[in-house]
Amino acid sequence: MSRSTLPRLTRIAVVGASLAGTLAVALPAPSYAAELVTNGDFEQVAADGGIVGWPQSENRASGHATIVDGAGPDGSRALALDLGDPGDKAAVGQDVPIADSSRFQAYRITFDERAVGLSGYGGDLWARNFGHDAIVGRITGDTGWRKADAVVLARPGAKAVNLLLALEQTTGRMLIDNVKVEHIEGNAVGADVQPTGAVQLTWHFAGIEDSPASYQVHRSTHPDFTPSEKTLIREVPEAWTAEDGSARPGQRYTYKVVALAADGTKLATTDAETVTMPSAFLDEQQTNVLTATEDGERARLAWRLKAGTKGPVTLYAGGPQVADGKLHKAHKVGTYGGHGTTGGATLRDGERRGATGFAVVGQGGKVLATASLASLQHPRMGVTDGKLAAIRAAIQQDGTPKSTYSSIVNRVAKGLPGYNYRPGEAQASWAQDAALLYQVSQDPAYAQTAYDALIESGRTMPFINGTAYSGSAALETANAAGPLAAAYDWAYPVWTPEQRAEAQKVLQRVAAYLEVSYHPNFDLPTKQSNWTAVVRGAELSLRLAVRGDGPFDLQEYRIPQLIDALGRHLDTAYSDAGWDQEGLDYFSYGLGVGASGVVGSIDAGIGALKAKWERPAFADLVMHSVSAQRDNARLQWGVSTVTGAVPIPGLIFTQVPADQRAAWLWQYEKTVGGGGGVYGLLNYPYGVAPQDPDGGPAALREPILDDHGGSYLFRSRYQDKDDVLVGAQNRNDNHIGWGGFDTFALSLVGQDVTWARQPAKDYAKRELFSKPLIDGFPEKRSTDSVAGKGETLESRAYAGQGGGHVSLDGSLNYELAKAHRDLTVDLRPVGGADSVIAVHDEFADSTSHRYDWQLAPEAGTTITFGETESGARTFLFKKAEGYLKGWIIAPEGAELSVDKGAFKVTRSGTESDFKIVLAVGKGTPPTATTSGDALTLGDTTYDLGNLKGFSPAGG
C-alpha cells in the first residue's frame, strides 16, 4: 500500500459539480445617506411600458426586460430579464454620477435577485466604465430571493459608475429588485460570492491619510472575531482587491481587512462583512490538468479534472514517456478517490523511484492528464543552458540572431524612451529585455536595470494609481504582467534577497488584481475573445514564474483555472487552419501576450495545453496572409489593418510542425529579420537552414480552405512584392469579440499594391469595404451587426498552384432570400496577367434593394472605367507599374462609379447579378474577348455561368 499522503492543498477550494444550492446571503447593508439609483425598486413604469430611470438597453433578439407586478420579494414590482437563446442578451442599465472625481471613491452596491430556470452562465449586475469593471451577484439555476452585495472603487477621473443588469450565455429568467448604491465614507470591505465558490473581495479605507503598505485579509466563522494570525488568509501589498479561493460550501464567513504601515503597525480595520457560501459550488473546469513539481527531496503532484469526472483516479509514474501518455513501463503510485475532481499526492524518493513523467488515469484506463517533473529553480520559463549556448555562438557572426540581439541591446540602452507603451507596460517590457540580456551576457548591470524597471512598472501600474483607461484596466495590467513575469524569472538568480522580496510585492499586487478582474469577453463560457488570451495568459505567466517563491505557494488552485481558460480559448477561437474571427492584429496581440503563458506551462511540464497549442496551423496561416512587400501588406478579415508586423513570429517557432520549420524560417528572415525581440532570439531554430517555401512542403503551396470560419486564403508564390495574395471570406461563425463584416469580402494584394482592402474598425467608412453592400449596409440591415451564419457550399484547391474555387451562401448574413457567390482564383500567369479572379454574385429578395458591388484599393490608386471591350464594360486600377483590370460581363442595367476612392458597380431591383473578372499584373493590361457568360484571356476561358466547372490547364 502506498504511503503517499494527501496534504491540505494551500488555498484550494473544494469544488462540487452540482449546480444546485444557494448563492451568497449578505448581512443587510447600512442605511443610505442618499438614493443614488433612479427607480431602483422598479415601481415606476412609463406610459408606454418603458422602465423609468433605466435608459440603456442592450436587449438583443430574444432578450427582453419588463417590469412584472407582484414579482418582487415583498410582493411589489420587480424587473424581469428573459432570454430564450444563450447567444442573445437581455440587459438594461443606468449611470450613477460620481460627485467628486478627483480621488478614488468607494460604493456599495446591493440588490435582491432570484434565478428562475437559468441554465448555463446566468445573470449578474455588471458595474463598468469606471476603471475596475466588476461582476456583482452572479446567479444561475433556480433560487429563492437573496441579497447581492459588493464594494466597487471608482478611479480618479471617472464620471459615473455604469450599472448594467445583464442576462447572457443562458436561458431563463432573472428577477431583480431594490437596486441600491451607497457612497462609502468609512472603512469597508465587500465580499462578492460567485457560484463557483470564489469570494471576490474589495476594500476601501477612507479615513487613512497615508497609503498603507499592505493589507491583511482575515476570515472567520465567528462574526465578532478579532483579527489574528489564526484568521489571516492572505496579505497583499498596496492593493485594494483580492480573491479568497479557499472558502468551503455551506459555510458562513465574516471578513475583515486590516491596513498596515510599512513597519507592520496596524493603521485601521474595516467593518465586518458576512456572507453565506452556496451549499454546493458550480464547477466550470473543462480541462484536465496535472502539475508535477520538484520540492526538495519530494515531488508534489496535484490535479484538477474536468467537471463531472466520476470515480477514483490512479496515479502512474515513470520515465519521460509517461508524460506522453505511454504507460507500458510506468509503475502505479496509488489510487485516489473521494476528493471530487481535485486531488494531490506528495511522493518521497522511495515512492517516486526516480520518475520524471506522471499521468492521472481515470475509469477504463483513460489517460486524463500528464505532466513532467518541473524544477522551481530560476530561470524556469523559456531560458535553458542549451538555448543560451546557441545564442552566444550565433551572435558572434552576422545573421538574424546577431541583429536581433543588437536591437535588444540598443533598445535597453535607450531606456524608457525606447518603449512606446503605456505606463507600467513600458517599464515591464524594458525589464524583460534587460533580464534576457543578463542571461545571455551574465552582466549584472542588466539584472539591476531589470529590477529598477520592474519596481517602476509596479509604481506606475494603471490599476494602482487609477489612470487605467475606463473598462480596460484588466488589459493594461495584463500587458505588463507577462513581461514582468519573464523579467522576474530571468533576473532572479542574481538579485539579492531584498530585491526578490520587493519584486514579489509588485507581482503580488498584479496577481491580486488579475484574479478578480472581469469582462464578459473572457469571463463568459465562450473563451474565443483576445481578452482571454491576454488577461488569463498573462496571469498564467506570472503564476508560473513566482510559484513556490516567498509569499507564493504552488498555485495549485489558480493555475488549473487559467490553463482551462486558455485551453478553451485555443480550442474555440482558432480553427485547425489557425483562423480566428478578429483578424491578424488581434491574433498577434492576444497570442503575443498569452502564448508566453501557454509555452510557459509546457516548459513547466504541464501537458494540458501542448496538443491544443500545436493544433492550429498558425505558421501556414501567416505565410498565406502576409506579403513580402516592404510594408508587410496582408490579407484582411475581422478588424485587421492593411499593414502590420508579422504576428507572434518568435512564438510560432514553438508550435510550427517540424517539416515546415525551415520554410517558416525563410519567411521569418524576409518579413521579421532582426525585429523578433526576446522570443525571436530564444526560439530561433538554431541549426536549421531556411528553405524557400516554393520548394517546401506541399501544404504551404496549396490554398487554405477553412470551411469552419468561411475563410479562404490563396497565394501564388513566396518571393517578393509581385506575389499575389487573395483572401475570400464568408463569416460562417461568430462569437464574442471583435468581428468584421466579412460576408463575400475580398482582400487582394500584389504588385506592391493593395488592390482590395477592408475597413478594419472603421465600419462607418463604407468606402473602405471591398464587398457587396446592400442598401448601403455591409450585411444585416436590421441591426447593422455581424451574424456569422454564412455557409460554404463547396471549396476545392487547384492542383499545381495556390488557387482554387469556393461556392458560398451568405443569405442569412445579408438577410436576403438569396445571396450566392461563386469565386474562382487562378494564380497562374494567364494572357499576360499574373493572376485572375472570377466572381459570380447572385442576389434576390422579395423587396427591391440597391446592390453596390464594391472594390476599395489603397490610397493613391488611379481608377478609370466605362470602356467597352468585346461586349463587356471594363474598369482599370493603376499604381506605379501595377494594374488591376476588371471586366463586367452582361453589363446592361449596371451603373459604374467611383465614390471616395472606391469603385462601385450598382444594380437595383428584387434580383441582381454580378459577373466580374479581375486580372492583376504589371505593365500593359491584357485584352479579352467575351461570348455570352464566358470571358477568354489568352487561351483560358472563364465561364461565369459555370465557374464550378472551371479546371485550369495543367491542373
Side-chain angles (χ1 to χ4, degrees):
M1 180 176 179
S2 171
R3 293 184 289 110
S4 300
T5 58
L6 181 63
R8 181 178 68 86
L9 304 185
T10 308
R11 294 201 284 269
I12 191 165
V14 177
V15 182
S18 172
L19 187 65
T22 60
L23 199 64
V25 179
L27 288 178
S31 58
Y32 294 87
E35 186 55 68
L36 301 180
V37 177
T38 302
N39 194 24
D41 57 6
F42 302 103
E43 295 302 308
Q44 302 175 49
V45 184
D48 62 357
I51 305 171
V52 174
W54 297 84
Q56 299 161 15
S57 173
E58 294 187 17
N59 296 314
R60 184 171 65 240
S62 68
H64 300 284
T66 56
I67 291 180
V68 181
D69 290 337
D74 57 357
S76 63
R77 288 172 171 167
L79 174 69
L81 297 178
D82 293 283
L83 195 59
D85 186 320
D88 299 331
K89 187 175 184 179
V92 294
Q94 69 171 270
D95 285 336
V96 175
I98 296 172
D100 180 5
S101 61
S102 65
R103 58 189 177 92
F104 274 107
Q105 300 289 339
Y107 297 88
R108 183 180 295 277
I109 300 172
T110 63
F111 58 96
D112 297 313
E113 62 179 354
R114 180 186 176 193
V116 183
L118 287 185
S119 63
Y121 183 83
D124 54 67
L125 181 147
W126 183 14
R128 61 183 187 177
N129 294 342
F130 59 97
H132 173 222
D133 292 348
I135 179 174
V136 181
R138 181 182 161 201
I139 192 170
T140 189
D142 280 286
T143 72
W145 282 98
R146 74 279 320 282
K147 181 76 69 178
D149 188 334
V151 170
V152 300
L153 293 186
R155 64 182 175 85
K159 303 300 182 183
V161 175
N162 177 250
L163 307 179
L164 187 77
L165 295 163
L167 198 62
E168 46 197 336
Q169 295 297 317
T170 186
T171 58
R173 166 170 282 193
M174 181 184 183
L175 293 169
I176 306 103
D177 203 4
N178 303 318
V179 181
K180 297 180 180 180
V181 174
E182 170 200 15
H183 182 233
I184 299 174
E185 293 291 353
N187 302 326
V189 59
D192 187 18
V193 180
Q194 304 299 304
T196 58
V199 184
Q200 297 182 347
L201 303 161
T202 304
W203 52 86
H204 180 62
F205 288 82
I208 302 178
E209 292 186 4
D210 296 329
S211 298
S214 66
Y215 301 90
Q216 291 180 338
V217 178
H218 292 264
R219 185 188 72 194
S220 176
T221 56
H222 301 289
D224 298 324
F225 78 99
T226 299
S228 67
E229 286 298 319
K230 292 183 179 180
T231 61
L232 178 65
I233 60 173
R234 67 184 299 179
E235 183 172 340
V236 188
E238 298 181 54
W240 41 266
T241 188
E243 181 177 280
D244 176 13
S246 61
R248 301 297 177 114
Q251 292 290 319
R252 188 172 177 83
Y253 293 118
T254 297
Y255 290 92
K256 294 181 181 180
V257 175
V258 178
L260 301 178
D263 62 1
T265 303
K266 184 176 75 172
L267 300 176
T269 301
T270 64
D271 295 334
E273 175 81 349
T274 301
V275 296
T276 299
M277 301 302 296
S279 60
F281 294 166
L282 172 63
D283 189 353
E284 297 178 312
Q285 187 81 11
Q286 295 297 312
T287 307
N288 296 319
V289 180
L290 172 66
T291 59
T293 310
E294 191 172 31
D295 183 13
E297 296 180 353
R298 304 176 301 172
R300 170 64 190 170
L301 286 299
W303 55 88
R304 182 166 183 179
L305 306 178
K306 181 179 179 180
T309 301
K310 302 296 183 183
V313 297
T314 303
L315 179 64
Y316 286 87
Q321 71 278 3
V322 178
D324 293 327
K326 301 172 183 177
L327 307 182
H328 58 285
K329 293 184 179 180
H331 70 270
K332 178 180 175 181
V333 175
T335 298
Y336 306 84
H339 302 288
T341 56
T342 62
T346 299
L347 309 183
R348 288 177 168 77
D349 283 346
E351 298 162 307
R352 180 182 148 199
R353 301 186 203 171
T356 58
F358 303 89
V360 170
V361 177
Q363 293 180 322
K366 181 180 180 181
V367 176
L368 302 177
T370 63
S372 297
L373 190 65
S375 170
L376 293 182
Q377 182 177 349
H378 293 281
R380 58 175 75 156
M381 297 196 306
V383 174
T384 65
D385 289 342
K387 287 183 180 180
L388 291 175
I391 292 170
R392 290 165 185 156
I395 62 177
Q396 300 304 314
Q397 53 191 344
D398 291 339
T400 295
K402 181 178 181 179
S403 60
T404 303
Y405 183 76
S406 297
S407 69
I408 299 173
V409 169
N410 293 336
R411 197 179 190 196
V412 169
K414 288 180 181 178
L416 200 56
Y419 297 84
N420 186 27
Y421 308 130
R422 291 188 177 97
E425 300 173 36
Q427 293 90 342
S429 295
W430 186 16
Q432 176 181 251
D433 285 354
L436 183 64
L437 293 183
Y438 160 71
Q439 281 292 332
V440 174
S441 69
Q442 293 296 291
D443 183 348
Y446 282 127
Q448 182 63 46
T449 297
Y451 174 77
D452 293 339
L454 183 149
I455 297 301
E456 184 64 11
S457 175
R459 190 187 68 80
T460 59
M461 195 75 68
F463 79 89
I464 290 292
N465 58 31
T467 60
Y469 176 74
S470 178
S472 70
L475 287 178
E476 294 183 19
T477 304
N479 291 343
L484 286 177
Y488 172 87
D489 180 40
W490 299 341
Y492 182 96
V494 76
W495 285 346
T496 66
E498 292 76 18
Q499 287 177 316
R500 294 169 182 173
E502 289 302 310
Q504 287 161 6
K505 290 179 182 179
V506 173
L507 298 183
Q508 278 183 280
R509 295 198 299 273
V510 175
Y513 176 76
L514 289 177
E515 67 195 17
V516 300
S517 60
Y518 170 78
H519 192 281
N521 279 24
F522 68 75
D523 213 42
L524 294 177
T526 50
K527 305 294 185 186
Q528 296 101 327
S529 168
N530 72 81
W531 277 78
T532 297
V534 173
V535 179
R536 299 310 188 209
E539 186 186 349
L540 179 59
S541 294
L542 187 154
R543 302 279 178 180
L544 291 167
V546 301
R547 62 181 183 144
D549 291 348
F552 295 96
D553 58 28
L554 292 182
Q555 308 291 289
E556 291 171 349
Y557 164 68
R558 188 65 178 170
I559 283 177
Q561 292 180 321
L562 299 171
I563 286 177
D564 178 52
L566 286 168
R568 285 194 270 170
H569 176 73
L570 291 171
D571 286 346
T572 59
Y574 311 96
S575 68
D576 288 348
W579 173 91
D580 81 306
Q581 74 167 33
E582 303 189 36
L584 290 178
D585 289 316
Y586 281 98
F587 168 78
S588 182
Y589 172 44
L591 290 181
V593 177
S596 60
V598 174
V599 176
S601 75
I602 298 170
D603 288 343
I606 303 168
L609 297 182
K610 189 173 187 296
K612 296 175 184 291
W613 172 237
E614 294 174 349
R615 175 189 60 83
F618 290 144
D620 196 10
L621 177 89
V622 175
M623 293 176 73
H624 272 81
S625 54
V626 179
S627 75
Q629 295 179 188
R630 288 169 295 179
D631 59 357
N632 283 109
R634 68 263 187 92
L635 300 178
Q636 293 176 267
W637 66 89
V639 291
S640 296
T641 51
V642 178
T643 62
V646 176
I648 59 165
L651 290 161
I652 284 179
F653 280 124
T654 67
Q655 66 95 244
V656 61
D659 67 335
Q660 296 182 16
R661 194 167 296 135
W664 169 246
L665 178 59
W666 190 93
Q667 170 91 343
Y668 178 94
E669 298 278 11
K670 294 191 69 172
T671 59
V672 179
V678 294
Y679 291 109
L681 193 63
L682 280 173
N683 300 316
Y684 190 89
Y686 299 98
V688 174
Q691 178 189 27
D692 184 345
D694 287 328
L700 300 178
R701 300 191 302 276
E702 298 169 350
I704 293 179
L705 306 176
D706 190 343
D707 294 341
H708 168 76
S711 178
Y712 304 92
L713 307 178
F714 309 88
R715 183 165 188 159
S716 65
R717 62 177 191 169
Y718 296 89
Q719 296 302 320
D720 51 38
K721 62 185 182 182
D722 290 334
D723 303 350
V724 177
L725 287 73
V726 181
Q729 308 294 327
N730 197 44
R731 184 58 78 188
N732 292 353
D733 184 44
N734 190 54
H735 55 71
I736 290 176
W738 286 110
F741 298 97
D742 289 339
T743 309
F744 292 5
L746 186 66
S747 188
L748 176 58
V749 174
Q751 297 77 42
D752 209 15
V753 182
T754 297
W755 298 115
R757 60 160 296 173
Q758 299 299 332
K761 292 182 181 179
D762 293 331
Y763 300 142
K765 296 181 179 179
R766 305 301 204 210
E767 70 273 12
L768 299 181
F769 282 100
S770 294
K771 61 170 291 173
L773 306 179
I774 314 301
D775 298 329
F777 287 85
E779 286 176 26
K780 291 175 67 176
R781 299 177 308 288
S782 59
T783 61
D784 195 16
S785 61
V786 177
K789 297 180 179 179
E791 181 183 359
T792 297
L793 306 176
E794 180 185 0
S795 64
R796 56 190 172 89
Y798 293 147
Q801 60 156 293
H805 174 82
V806 294
S807 292
L808 308 173
D809 184 287
S811 57
L812 294 179
N813 289 349
Y814 274 116
E815 295 183 327
L816 297 171
K818 182 179 184 179
H820 180 272
R821 164 168 282 189
D822 276 327
L823 176 75
T824 288
V825 178
D826 188 358
L827 296 185
R828 305 169 303 147
V830 175
D834 289 345
S835 299
V836 176
I837 300 101
V839 187
H840 184 194
D841 289 343
E842 300 175 273
F843 301 98
D845 203 25
S846 58
T847 58
S848 179
H849 298 285
R850 173 189 169 107
Y851 299 88
D852 293 306
W853 196 97
Q854 181 170 293
L855 284 183
E858 67 178 52
T861 303
T862 61
I863 303 175
T864 57
F865 62 88
E867 298 292 330
T868 299
E869 185 177 299
S870 186
R873 295 188 72 186
T874 66
F875 54 93
L876 183 64
F877 297 1
K878 294 202 72 175
K879 189 169 188 182
E881 299 177 67
Y883 68 80
L884 176 149
K885 184 175 181 179
W887 293 264
I888 304 166
I889 311 301
E892 296 76 18
E895 175 188 343
L896 280 59
S897 63
V898 174
D899 181 29
K900 298 180 181 178
F903 173 73
K904 299 175 182 286
V905 182
T906 302
R907 297 183 184 272
S908 297
T910 56
E911 296 183 359
S912 288
D913 198 34
F914 298 89
K915 299 171 183 174
I916 298 174
V917 177
L918 309 173
V920 293
K922 274 186 173 181
T924 303
T927 57
T929 59
T930 63
S931 176
D933 287 338
L935 179 142
T936 299
L937 271 173
D939 58 0
T940 300
T941 297
Y942 302 92
D943 184 353
L944 278 294
N946 182 28
L947 286 176
K948 291 182 182 181
F950 176 73
S951 180

